[in-house]
């Protein structure tokens, strides 16, 4: 920049100086709360676009980032995430949003398979859920139970009906 000074008699002098322009304004980070549902595999992901609610900056925004962008079965319910907004000149600001994680993947799917048990020397036998589980699935963990699970000599030769129950961590079940 050239500075020129002129007095009342028309005498003037000038000098040249360097002016450094700086942007020290942080962006206005604006978040919004959202809900996401887990998929059939028990996973969900979010993007910065879903959390950002029209953040602004006086000189332009260069990047958006999230501290958490993936969720699983252990994350059901409200989860706080932080959005970081960085402007073109390296200034950054953050805001927080609540991501409500739900499991709408549906009830577990119980798949049964036949099993044969052999009585021991006391005339008794028992089975576990794994003995009759033919590939059951649930998006968010399973608790399995089979009833009845013990047998004796009075049941030899007669097929026995058992019930396999699969329950996920949302208390949804299939038998």
């Amino acid at each position: 920049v050239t500075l020129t000074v002129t007095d009342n008699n028309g005498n003037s002098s000038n000098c040249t100086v360097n002016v450094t322009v700086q942007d020290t304004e942080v962006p206005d980070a604006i978040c919004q709360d959202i809900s996401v549902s887990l998929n059939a595999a028990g996973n969900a992901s979010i993007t910065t676009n879903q959390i950002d609610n029209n953040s602004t900056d006086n000189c332009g925004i260069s990047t958006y980032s999230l501290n958490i962008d993936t969720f699983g079965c252990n994350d059901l319910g409200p989860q706080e995430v932080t959005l970081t907004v960085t402007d073109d000149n390296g200034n950054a600001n953050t805001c927080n949003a609540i991501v409500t994680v739900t499991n709408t993947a549906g009830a577990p799917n119980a798949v049964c398979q036949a099993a044969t048990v052999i009585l021991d020397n006391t005339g008794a036998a028992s089975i576990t859920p794994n003995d009759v589980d033919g590939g059951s699935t649930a998006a968010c963990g399973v608790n399995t139970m089979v009833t009845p699970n013990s047998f004796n000599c009075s049941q030899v030769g007669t097929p026995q009906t058992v019930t396999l129950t699969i329950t996920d961590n949302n208390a949804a079940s299939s038998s």
Side-chain angles (χ1 to χ4, degrees):
V1 174
T2 300
L3 174 64
T4 302
V5 177
T6 305
D7 66 15
N8 292 338
N9 297 317
N11 300 313
S12 67
S13 177
N14 60 39
C15 63
T16 302
V17 296
N18 291 327
V19 175
T20 303
V21 178
Q22 294 184 332
D23 172 21
T24 59
E25 283 292 314
V26 297
D28 186 12
I30 305 169
C31 287
Q32 63 185 348
D33 297 342
I34 64 168
S35 294
V36 295
S37 295
L38 300 178
N39 62 19
N43 300 307
S45 62
I46 61 171
T47 65
T48 56
N49 289 340
Q50 291 172 285
I51 299 299
D52 181 52
N53 194 17
N54 298 313
S55 298
T56 61
D57 184 71
N58 61 332
C59 289
I61 296 172
S62 63
T63 62
Y64 300 84
S65 63
L66 291 168
N67 67 327
I68 302 169
D69 62 1
T70 58
F71 304 93
C73 293
N74 293 331
D75 301 313
L76 293 175
Q79 303 296 321
E80 185 173 75
V81 299
T82 301
L83 173 69
T84 301
V85 180
T86 305
D87 72 12
D88 293 340
N89 296 299
N91 301 303
N93 199 3
T94 62
C95 59
N96 294 322
I98 300 298
V99 176
T100 303
V101 181
T102 60
N103 178 13
T104 59
N109 181 32
V111 178
C112 297
Q113 66 182 7
T116 301
V117 295
I118 299 173
L119 299 176
D120 65 15
N121 62 355
T122 67
S126 64
I127 61 172
T128 67
N130 287 339
D131 294 325
V132 294
D133 188 342
S136 301
T137 58
C140 287
V142 294
N143 178 26
T144 57
M145 181 176 71
V146 63
T147 55
N149 66 349
S150 61
F151 308 94
N152 59 45
C153 293
S154 69
Q155 298 160 317
V156 171
T158 305
Q160 302 297 304
T161 299
V162 299
T163 301
L164 173 68
T165 302
I166 306 294
T167 305
D168 71 12
N169 63 4
N170 293 313
S173 66
S174 174
S175 297

